[in-house]
Amino acid sequence: MKRYYFDHAATTPLAEEVLAAMLPFFCEKYANPSSSHALGRNVVASVDEARDALAALFGRKAKELYFTSGGTESDNWAIKGVMHANRDKGRHLLVSAFEHPAVLETAAFLSREGYEVEYIPATPQGFVDLDALASMVRDDTVLVCVMAANNEVGTLQPLREAAEIAHKKGALFFTDAVQAVGSVAIPKEADLFSCSAHKFYGPKGVGLLCVREGVRIERLLHGGHQERSMRGGTTPSPLVIGLWKAASLAIDGADEETSRVRTLRDRFLRGVLSLPNTALNGDSERRLASNANVCFYGRRGEILLDNLDMRGICASTGSACTSGAVHPSHVLLAMGKKEEAESSIRFSFGRDNTEKEIDEALEIIASVVKKK
Ligand code: PLP
């Protein structure tokens, strides 16, 4: 059966060019980059080159970048590391209510440790409520977290404005940019940001945390002297090279890819929204070009998703299934969309999708939706 992969927000296939760049670092240039012998020095030169190139791509300094295992680790580190290292300023943490669990669960953990965590509400269009943020930020607020692009509804957040509000009170600003690389630039106002290679055609298991020079942060992993003693553990050189290559392809080719994917996504939306009882979740303009989060009123998202899967369409709901229980999307609930929270599906498009696939998938969706 043909499979239609419309789940690029969950992960993307590794690009062939990325694999080619990584391959020599498995069996030929395999030395530990921390080894002082010639083979090790060879590898560390490539890792340093990758760090310099990534810094240039993101407009940051090489010494501000730390390689991690991906988005979840970077988010954990940013939040725990900053809150722990800045206890003299306060214990107040603000996170937007529709963050990824990597942020929300970290915040919940800190709250159990005695930190004061508050959640910034969202607007019905899927944006962080800036007025609410302005009224919530305090002199003892250490960190404000607002993601760059929401992973469920794709809305692009007003990062500059949010960072400005945080900075006025002396708070630091962190953005989870996991969904944003290759789509929108991460503004210089962000004191910290995280990203993850597998979201932009790179390998799984590697990401970045960028920490502006001068920001106080505690290390997350105690161990060797890798990553300037801030994150112990042997540097995964093939993954780092993959991250570099994937980020350069994604950022350098961003304009072209964004307009191609937007055309596909809009073609999909025209078709799907012509079906009865459907609506788009989240703002129609300020959103990722790849994202279409659609509500099918009166249907259960997870059942519809299973039916689509049986016909070859791979998409996802915002809900997570835990031991048989289905939870409504916390993102849509935060936007005040109670009904939509149980009846929506996220379709996210990417590099390999074609117009033909969109048209075929629309026919399948129409026939699945017609069946009660
Ligand atoms: N943050 C966001 C916004 C995400 O979408 C994801 C993954 O879906 C993560 C963090 C976690 O990233 P990783 O899979 O690299 O741990």
Side-chain angles (χ1 to χ4, degrees), residues 81-94:
V82 165
M83 293 307 293
H84 285 158
N86 292 275
R87 270 181 285 232
D88 55 343
K89 175 164 196 298
R91 293 184 150 250
H92 188 227
L93 167 67
L94 286 174

Side-chain angles (χ1 to χ4, degrees), residues 70-370:
T72 301
E73 182 184 324
S74 296
D75 289 354
N76 267 265
W77 187 8
I79 300 168
K80 289 179 203 165
V82 165
M83 293 307 293
H84 285 158
N86 292 275
R87 270 181 285 232
D88 55 343
K89 175 164 196 298
R91 293 184 150 250
H92 188 227
L93 167 67
L94 286 174
V95 301
S96 71
F98 52 51
E99 294 290 309
H100 187 273
V103 168
L104 291 178
E105 291 298 317
T106 305
F109 170 79
L110 286 173
S111 147
R112 291 192 294 277
E113 273 196 342
Y115 287 85
E116 190 187 346
V117 181
E118 287 191 289
Y119 298 90
I120 316 157
T123 67
Q125 293 75 34
F127 300 117
V128 66
D129 184 333
L130 290 173
D131 292 335
L133 169 59
S135 69
M136 293 169 86
V137 70
R138 315 189 307 222
D139 291 333
D140 64 340
T141 306
V142 175
L143 184 66
V144 173
C145 308
V146 178
M147 67 202 315
N150 183 271
N151 51 299
E152 289 190 26
V153 294
T155 42
L156 304 175
Q157 299 304 313
L159 297 182
R160 279 205 176 85
E161 294 83 345
E164 200 177 301
I165 294 170
H167 289 160
K168 265 193 196 145
K169 287 279 184 188
L172 293 163
F173 184 77
F174 164 60
T175 188
D176 168 340
V178 168
Q179 293 286 338
V181 174
S183 296
V184 284
I186 300 152
K188 61 178 184 341
E189 287 81 357
D191 301 299
L192 304 100
F193 71 80
S194 60
C195 69
S196 179
H198 75 98
K199 303 291 185 181
F200 47 90
Y201 306 90
K204 292 168 182 56
V206 66
L208 271 183
L209 178 64
C210 175
V211 184
R212 183 194 307 294
E213 198 180 4
V215 166
R216 280 186 291 163
I217 184 163
E218 235 169 48
R219 73 180 72 168
L220 181 69
L221 297 181
H222 296 81
H225 296 298
Q226 295 88 353
E227 301 303 300
R228 283 131 18 245
S229 296
M230 291 298 281
R231 197 253 184 202
T234 299
T235 307
S237 25
L239 297 178
V240 165
I241 300 302
L243 168 68
W244 165 25
K245 185 73 186 173
S248 27
L249 290 171
I251 293 173
D252 292 342
D255 291 348
E256 203 180 316
E257 179 59 12
T258 301
S259 76
R260 200 192 73 85
V261 170
R262 179 177 287 118
T263 307
L264 285 183
R265 193 272 315 270
D266 289 348
R267 185 180 185 91
F268 176 81
L269 278 181
R270 277 194 299 279
V272 82
L273 296 179
S274 69
L275 298 171
N277 304 319
T278 54
L280 177 69
N281 291 314
D283 190 78
S284 59
E285 295 299 320
R286 281 163 55 204
R287 67 188 299 134
L288 291 172
S290 53
N291 175 291
N293 188 307
V294 178
C295 178
F296 297 87
Y297 287 100
R299 312 297 296 261
R300 302 239 10 141
E302 70 282 2
I303 296 175
L304 205 48
L305 196 66
D306 280 350
N307 291 334
L308 291 175
D309 187 28
M310 282 191 274
R311 302 284 305 273
I313 295 182
C314 307
S316 81
T317 58
S319 45
C321 301
T322 326
S323 56
V326 176
H327 303 289
S329 154
H330 74 282
V331 173
L332 291 166
L333 286 180
M335 290 160 59
K337 309 263 174 192
K338 201 160 177 288
E339 194 180 350
E340 291 83 349
E342 300 198 333
S343 303
S344 296
I345 295 189
R346 176 189 72 187
F347 302 90
S348 46
F349 305 100
R351 236 178 239 175
D352 298 325
N353 293 140
T354 61
E355 268 188 13
K356 185 166 174 285
E357 279 186 324
I358 299 286
D359 295 345
E360 289 169 0
L362 283 170
E363 279 186 30
I364 296 172
I365 294 169
S367 79
V368 167
V369 168
K370 256 185 224 141

